[in-house]
Amino acid sequence: MTKVKVPVLTYHAANITGNSYQSNDRIAFQSDLYNLHHLGFQIIPLYWLAEWVNGDRELHHDAAPYVALSCDDGLDHDFIDGDYLNFGPQKSFYRILKDFHADVGQKHQPHAHLTAFVIACSRARTKIAMKSLQGHQLLNDNWWKEANHSALMAIENHSWDHRHPDIYCTEQANFKSITDETQATRQIIRAKKEIDRISAGNSQLFCYPWGHHNTYLAQEFLPTLGQQAGIKAAFTCEAKPVTHDTNPWLMPRYVCGPDWHSPNQLIQLLKQDVLTA
Ligand SMILES: [Zn+2]
């Protein structure tokens, strides 16, 4: 039997230098949704993949191909429409998905869903916005609860403070430097509790900042203390599809920009990695 292979595609609302596919992840996201749909992909929630690799859900080959969608860093524009700096009015990823879903119809994409990985610490978000978003405070959490309770979106864990270079010195601004229980607990479990408190949810997925992982996190911390805290899977930025035998603590994802930057490149990537046996 052909093996089920599920790509996870990742977008960043912060990736915007214009209003074209190559310069704006929203434009790419909208275009990709329709291309995926026309290629026959069924969009499924990311947490289904965590359940699948953990043996708690089946994904049947006859309903494939499947795709899951995520967006990183939790900019307000993941969920809220509005002007973005000097690039004019922008639809949020949520709005784009909602409009797409209404357009193609519930029965054709019954599980359409987007997972937003957000940064827990509000002080860290303020600092990152000050430096990396030119002072524009676009990393708020006042939309997390509504997003999490919508049928189309989930809020999940992208660490306490991203070990972001706006906060840490160069050698520490790297998630690979998290090699002890105290730091890992703060960055992953404390982050989960804070995100769950704000979003009134129960997050189960973690996404390594920049995709940085190490043996301690993937082989020791997450499978023991992480799992006990309710985390079921962790996502990297390795460009390959998830399969049933994927390690739940090293779930790969493709990233818009680094892994494809045109509709044709995405189609070629999917044909090569997913649609051929
Ligand atoms: Zn990130």
Side-chain angles (χ1 to χ4, degrees), residues 12 72-73 117 119 158 162 207-211:
H12 294 81
D72 283 9
D73 303 330
F117 286 103
I119 299 163
H158 197 30
H162 209 290
C207 163
Y208 298 100
W210 299 287

Side-chain angles (χ1 to χ4, degrees), residues 12-17 26 72-78 83-87 119 122 124-140 143 164-166:
H12 294 81
N15 284 353
I16 176 170
T17 55
R26 296 155 192 75
D72 283 9
D73 303 330
L75 261 74
D76 296 351
H77 294 79
D78 288 358
D83 282 355
Y84 193 100
L85 309 186
N86 51 349
F87 301 106
I119 299 163
S122 69
R125 283 186 264 115
T126 302
K127 281 187 192 168
I128 294 168
M130 281 309 294
K131 292 190 181 175
S132 290
L133 299 175
Q134 303 152 42
H136 297 274
Q137 291 299 328
L138 298 173
L139 288 164
N140 298 297
W143 52 271
H164 200 279
D166 293 346

Side-chain angles (χ1 to χ4, degrees), residues 130-253:
M130 281 309 294
K131 292 190 181 175
S132 290
L133 299 175
Q134 303 152 42
H136 297 274
Q137 291 299 328
L138 298 173
L139 288 164
N140 298 297
D141 53 32
N142 54 350
W143 52 271
W144 293 3
K145 189 172 169 183
E146 191 184 342
N148 205 31
H149 289 212
S150 80
L152 293 174
M153 211 158 166
I155 299 293
E156 299 280 358
N157 180 1
H158 197 30
S159 84
W160 181 253
D161 58 17
H162 209 290
R163 294 293 282 211
H164 200 279
D166 293 346
I167 302 164
Y168 292 89
C169 63
T170 312
E171 59 269 26
Q172 289 187 335
N174 182 328
F175 216 74
K176 288 181 184 174
S177 65
I178 309 289
T179 52
D180 67 75
E181 192 180 310
T182 306
Q183 285 296 322
T185 300
R186 178 169 181 265
Q187 288 292 340
I188 299 173
I189 295 176
R190 185 178 171 201
K192 171 180 162 41
K193 288 178 182 164
E194 177 70 352
I195 290 164
D196 290 354
R197 182 186 69 76
I198 298 169
S199 66
N202 183 19
S203 62
Q204 17 184 340
L205 310 178
F206 176 71
C207 163
Y208 298 100
W210 299 287
H212 290 166
H213 55 85
N214 60 32
T215 316
Y216 171 70
L217 293 172
Q219 293 185 18
E220 287 184 48
F221 183 80
L222 283 164
T224 57
L225 296 174
Q227 192 165 40
Q228 283 163 28
I231 298 166
K232 293 184 177 168
F235 289 81
T236 70
C237 299
E238 194 186 353
K240 62 181 192 181
V242 175
T243 60
H244 193 241
D245 52 11
T246 294
N247 180 336
W249 310 112
L250 293 171
M251 301 275 276
R253 301 186 300 166

